[in-house]
Amino acid sequence: MSDRATDRVRETEVRKTFAALLAAGLVLLAGCMDSGGGSSVSVGSRTSPSTGSTTTAAGVGNLRAYYHQTIHWKACGKDRCGSLSVPVDYHHPSAASTKLAVEVAPATSGKAIGSLVVNPGGPGAPGVDLASDASSYFAAPLRAAYDIVGFDPRGTGRSNPVDCLTDHQLDQFVAEDPDPSTPAEVKQFSASAKEFWHGCEKRSDSLVDHVSTVDAARDMDILRAALKQSKMDYFGFSYGTKLGATYADLFPRKVGRMVLDGAMDVRLSTRESALHQAAGFQTALTSYVKHCVSGDHCFLGSTVQQGLHRISALLDSIAKKPLPTQSGRKLTVGNAFYGVVAPLYSRGMWQYLDIGLKQAIQGNGSVLLSLSDAYTMRGQNGGYTDNSMEAISVISCLDDPWSLPPSKIPGQYAAFEKASPTFGRVFAWGLAACWGDPMRNTDDPHLKIDAAGAAPIVVIGTTRDPATPYEEAVALSRELKSGVLVTRNGDGHTAYNEGNSCIDDAVHSYLIHGKVPKNGLRC
């Protein structure tokens, strides 16, 4: 896993995929294979809508015009949709502009107390989905109180998405062994990285150099002004916590009520962050196996160690011989990795992992491949429904271009295998993610974020969160001068609207009524 592909949208996609598998009867067919033909792949099916292209900002001399713009809303189903103009380069705001897709789900009460800007994470996940499908992400009290405002950050979704690979190339990129162990595999790994970054330069316009978190945070303040809000009320998940914390540091006096759930420690180095996440996924996998062996007749074995070993052995065997699937595609070890980690994002999805692993052990990779496709946002027609798998690398590497050459990765094995015996080497290879990246951030990406002068910022962490380990929430709450830590004791990524009434009540009391929870509250 090269970057933190973590967001609420992926969780929902996995759930939807499993529901579709149930409806089709696929999850009941362990060990049974369809002998029919494979699926077709649509190459280059992603398009950039005209509202997202970069244009010359005629008549724009500075940021004043951006801050005084009016969004022209149009009905889109039950919601309102529009676009926000922002400068491509904040150092040269009069040079060119680009547009961000924005969607508002009006408060169900008809009497909104304000606009709540939301972000699902990623980086790279489109944010309008949180508005268009607000009932899946936000509980009724919050939807009644606020207009939920989702936006696609620059370079993502419908906001002039960066493009690096054709869909066929992206299929190959995802399927490759994330832990290359032979000279030939390492050579292929390096060639794929070169192809990726060359594609980003060739297939994207000048915006690709300006999609950093700092750029996106500055966009958020223009969005705040266009929404006619004197303060920014914000709810960010996963990477959205980094985006929110960056906004708070840049515009501390504009912070209203802010909640950061599944928090990232924004001061970690790339290597430290990768080690944390490797350990987080190992903790989540161990918790999953413990749950299995605590019941009767666990298919993975009778002890946690047996269960972990069986999963590792399965991945090793798939690396040597990919599994057939009902679609006609092969389940490679790259796909299998995503298929295993995707259900670890929520305890409610462990049942999907049960079925996927049982099938794979019997020689059928169908469900794990479907879970991988849901995680990587690959549609059933072979096209990708958004560019998040590309945007995550571009944004992450602009934020921190530090990288190791492939030749240096084996020297990291010991530390990463200690953090995660199952996934460690995959995360070690993630340290080469930015190798060969030609893009560079024009801002200092190493901000020492503390948001001094901001209103209270509620930081939520879950004790066995795989993607953003709990220790990072503790760290962020301390780094922010006004940070307030709230802890959920449980499994899965992020805490809100996951069945913990203590968490939900604390969030609602703060966002709706302004009551700041007690620092150190445990739920």
Side-chain angles (χ1 to χ4, degrees), residues 3 9 26 42 62 103-104 122 189 206 210 226 238 242 264 276 278 284 347 370 394 439-440 515:
D3 297 292
V9 174
L26 295 182
S42 173
N62 53 42
E103 183 166 340
V104 178
F189 181 95
S206 61
H210 303 283
S238 194
K242 177 182 179 180
M264 294 175 60
H276 275 223
R347 187 184 180 98
S370 294
V394 177
M439 275 76 76
R440 287 295 178 265
K515 183 179 178 180

Side-chain angles (χ1 to χ4, degrees), residues 36-59:
S39 60
S40 61
V41 176
S42 173
V43 177
S45 64
R46 286 158 295 156
T47 58
S48 301
S50 58
T51 57
S53 60
T54 300
T55 59
T56 300

Side-chain angles (χ1 to χ4, degrees), residues 77-130:
K78 65 183 185 307
D79 295 344
R80 301 192 303 271
C81 292
S83 61
L84 180 79
S85 292
V86 295
V88 169
D89 184 350
Y90 275 92
H91 295 288
H92 304 283
S94 61
S97 68
T98 190
K99 292 184 180 295
L100 308 183
V102 184
E103 183 166 340
V104 178
T108 56
S109 66
K111 299 179 180 179
I113 64 173
S115 297
L116 183 66
V117 177
V118 296
N119 180 273
V128 297
D129 292 353
L130 266 66

Side-chain angles (χ1 to χ4, degrees), residues 240-262:
T241 66
K242 177 182 179 180
L243 180 59
T246 302
Y247 175 88
D249 197 66
L250 293 173
F251 307 99
R253 302 297 179 184
K254 296 298 183 181
V255 173
R257 299 170 185 175
M258 179 174 284
V259 175
L260 307 179
D261 184 7

Side-chain angles (χ1 to χ4, degrees), residues 256-416:
R257 299 170 185 175
M258 179 174 284
V259 175
L260 307 179
D261 184 7
M264 294 175 60
D265 181 354
V266 295
R267 297 189 185 183
L268 288 179
S269 68
T270 295
R271 183 178 183 275
E272 291 171 329
S273 178
L275 280 169
H276 275 223
Q277 199 174 39
F281 273 99
Q282 188 67 42
T283 296
L285 185 68
T286 300
S287 186
Y288 160 75
V289 174
K290 280 183 179 178
H291 176 73
C292 182
V293 301
S294 67
D296 295 329
H297 309 297
C298 175
F299 69 99
L300 293 171
S302 58
T303 69
V304 172
Q305 196 57 42
Q306 285 179 353
L308 292 172
H309 176 75
R310 187 156 198 186
I311 292 171
S312 294
L314 174 65
L315 293 173
D316 288 343
S317 69
I318 295 172
K320 296 175 183 176
K321 185 179 180 180
L323 296 180
T325 71
Q326 288 181 303
S327 70
R329 295 162 59 206
K330 295 287 188 178
L331 176 76
T332 69
V333 68
N335 299 127
F337 170 75
Y338 286 113
V340 170
V341 301
L344 295 178
Y345 276 69
S346 172
R347 187 184 180 98
M349 296 192 290
W350 287 0
Q351 58 181 323
Y352 313 165
L353 186 52
D354 283 346
I355 297 171
L357 289 175
K358 287 177 182 177
Q359 273 199 348
I361 289 169
Q362 296 177 23
N364 181 349
S366 298
V367 169
L368 285 185
L369 182 61
S370 294
L371 294 173
S372 172
D373 286 350
Y375 186 86
T376 59
M377 307 302 286
R378 185 188 193 274
Q380 292 184 352
N381 66 348
Y384 286 79
T385 59
D386 65 38
N387 72 323
S388 56
M389 290 300 291
E390 295 151 295
I392 184 175
S393 292
V394 177
I395 296 169
S396 297
C397 293
L398 279 174
D399 283 357
D400 187 356
W402 181 89
S403 187
L404 286 178
S407 62
K408 298 291 186 181
I409 297 302
Q412 300 292 321
Y413 285 167
F416 278 83

